[in-house]
């Protein structure tokens, strides 16, 4: 008997790497015989209608470094604003244009190129026309859920200004509304909230020593320990020089992050790692700062910090049993 749709549960998420290229772009990886050419590598042919464009894309992480192992998919309307899809009921799309492409970034330059056409305008859900745009989906190591964004064209100023989708904004309650007093109090005091601070329930979570492993200070210390160990391991394997590893380790010995800038970085980047790495690079200085966090992702740092702290917490809790 088929399971009803309202009972289906989401499968656990997993990062895209390191096998995303092997599975999705085998020819790019040197694996032949799977597909004649990688799916999505060609979007146009000699019969495709519309203005030909070359789309050059580079993806940067929060520290400003280009990602060299990302994979990007794009989809778009044809030159007349129709999608190559069975769900397109407004008209017939150009049969010589796929409307969908997939490319990996170059492992050396971090660049990927799409040969495509400039799309036409398509209607928003209320019928108003959106500006010409191309939708991008980005995956890479450390990204659990693919990132979506759109590319617009700078020579379409009027259409961009009219686009209803570009003017959607999340609405936040104004300051002073009933119920926001605690939020303002926490913000003004630069405080964090932890279950270990609860006057009653904290007794279920251990003691002060257990709580210490989940403090902000312990989190940052574990992240710094990761960066030190990463540099040492990469030097041992010949990925970076011994001089670079020594410079990184020396800087981390006395490094203390600027917490105000870390907080601003979290508001900007969504996680603390990019701003932390920027500050470490500034402390290391030229020429070795380029090898700080080398080859790692924000998720690597966050997960490693958690595991390091959980290990200490488990050892402590074991003593209490």
């Amino acid at each position: 008997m088929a399971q009803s749709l309202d009972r289906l549960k989401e499968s656990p998420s997993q990062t895209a790497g390191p096998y995303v290229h092997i599975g999705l772009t085998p020819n790019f990886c040197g694996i032949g015989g799977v597909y004649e050419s990688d799916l999505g590598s060609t979007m146009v042919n000699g019969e495709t209608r519309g203005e030909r464009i070359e789309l050059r894309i580079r993806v940067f992480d929060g520290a400003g470094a280009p990602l060299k192992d990302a994979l990007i998919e794009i989809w778009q309307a044809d030159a007349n604003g129709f999608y190559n899809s069975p769900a397109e009921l407004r008209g017939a799309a150009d049969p010589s244009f796929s409307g969908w492409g997939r490319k990996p970034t170059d492992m050396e330059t971090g660049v990927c190129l799409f040969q495509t056409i400039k799309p036409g305008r398509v209607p928003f859900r209320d019928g108003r026309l959106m500006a010409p745009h191309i939708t991008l989906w980005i995956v890479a190591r450390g990204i659990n859920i693919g990132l979506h964004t759109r590319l617009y064209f700078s020579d379409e100023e009027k259409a961009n200004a009219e686009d209803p989708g570009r003017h959607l904004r999340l609405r936040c309650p104004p300051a002073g509304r009933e119920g926001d007093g605690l939020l303002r109090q926490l913000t003004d005091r630069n405080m964090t909230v932890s279950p270990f601070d609860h006057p009653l329930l904290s007794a279920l979570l251990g003691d002060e020593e257990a709580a210490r492993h989940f403090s902000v200070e312990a989190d940052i210390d574990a992240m710094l320990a990761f960066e030190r160990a990463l540099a040492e391991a990469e030097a041992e394997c010949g990925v970076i020089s011994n001089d670079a590893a020594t410079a990184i380790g020396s800087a981390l010995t006395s490094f203390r992050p600027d917490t105000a800038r870390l907080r601003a970085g979290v508001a900007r980047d969504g996680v603390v790692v990019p701003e932390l790495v920027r500050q470490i690079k500034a402390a290391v200085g030229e020429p070795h700062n380029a090898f700080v966090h080398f080859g790692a992702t924000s998720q690597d740092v966050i997960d490693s910090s958690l595991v390091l702290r959980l290990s200490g917490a488990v050892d402590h809790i074991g003593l209490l049993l």
Side-chain angles (χ1 to χ4, degrees):
M1 179 176 177
Q3 187 180 29
S4 60
L5 292 178
D6 60 351
R7 295 177 58 193
L8 291 175
K9 296 183 178 180
E10 181 181 1
S11 300
S13 62
Q14 182 175 342
T15 59
Y19 305 112
V20 59
H21 296 88
I22 295 175
L24 299 181
T25 56
N27 288 287
F28 173 79
C29 299
I31 302 174
V34 181
Y35 307 113
E36 181 177 351
S37 60
D38 289 334
L39 297 179
S41 59
T42 303
M43 300 179 65
V44 299
N45 60 37
E47 303 299 321
T48 304
R49 299 187 292 269
E51 176 186 352
R52 300 297 180 95
I53 60 174
E54 179 181 84
L55 186 59
R56 180 184 295 263
I57 299 174
R58 296 182 75 189
V59 182
F60 295 89
D61 65 16
L67 295 182
K68 299 179 181 179
D69 64 346
L71 183 137
I72 300 171
E73 293 186 359
I74 68 172
W75 63 98
Q76 63 173 95
D78 65 13
N80 293 319
F82 296 115
Y83 290 106
N84 188 345
S85 167
E88 177 59 85
L89 304 177
R90 297 173 296 120
D94 184 351
S96 297
F97 179 61
S98 69
W100 173 80
R102 173 192 290 156
K103 287 288 186 72
T105 54
D106 185 87
M107 294 295 185
E108 297 296 328
T109 64
V111 175
C112 72
L113 298 175
F114 290 92
Q115 303 296 331
T116 182
I117 53 108
K118 185 175 180 179
R121 301 181 70 174
V122 298
F124 192 56
R125 56 176 174 261
D126 62 3
R128 291 179 294 167
L129 289 178
M130 293 185 285
H133 64 272
I134 297 175
T135 300
L136 288 80
W137 182 68
I138 304 167
V139 292
R141 289 180 303 118
I143 299 178
N144 287 333
I145 301 176
L147 307 176
H148 288 80
T149 188
R150 281 184 177 184
L151 179 151
Y152 290 87
F153 296 84
S154 59
D155 61 346
E156 295 283 353
E157 293 184 12
K158 184 175 184 296
N160 290 339
E162 297 172 348
D163 191 305
R166 285 170 57 92
H167 299 288
L168 293 178
R169 294 291 185 271
L170 291 177
R171 297 190 176 186
C172 301
R177 178 172 295 179
E178 182 179 357
D180 72 342
L182 176 61
L183 177 60
R184 284 190 286 106
Q185 181 182 14
L186 293 174
T187 302
D188 293 342
R189 295 183 182 180
N190 194 22
M191 297 172 60
T192 58
V193 179
S194 168
F196 290 97
D197 297 327
H198 195 283
L200 303 178
L201 301 182
S202 59
L204 301 175
L205 301 173
D207 55 14
E208 291 185 1
E209 176 62 21
R212 184 182 63 80
H213 293 284
F214 299 94
S215 67
V216 174
E217 293 79 5
D219 193 8
I220 296 298
D221 286 345
M223 290 182 179
L224 298 181
F226 168 88
E227 295 294 350
R228 182 194 298 274
L230 175 67
E232 292 174 351
E234 289 181 331
E236 184 176 343
C237 295
V239 176
I240 67 175
S241 68
N242 288 323
D243 288 344
T246 300
I248 293 170
S250 177
L252 289 175
T253 300
S254 58
F255 175 77
R256 293 294 181 271
D258 183 327
T259 55
R261 288 168 53 197
L262 288 180
R263 185 179 182 188
V266 172
R268 179 181 60 248
D269 304 317
V271 292
V272 72
V273 178
E275 176 57 31
L276 181 64
V277 170
R278 280 190 283 267
Q279 293 188 32
I280 297 173
K281 287 186 174 184
V284 173
E286 298 285 352
H288 301 304
N289 59 358
F291 300 103
V292 174
H293 194 68
F294 191 74
T297 67
S298 294
Q299 198 67 48
D300 294 333
V301 183
I302 294 169
D303 291 347
S304 297
S305 170
L306 178 59
V307 171
L308 288 172
R309 291 179 290 122
L310 285 174
S311 176
V314 169
D315 289 343
H316 173 70
I317 293 172
L319 298 175
L320 301 178
L321 298 178

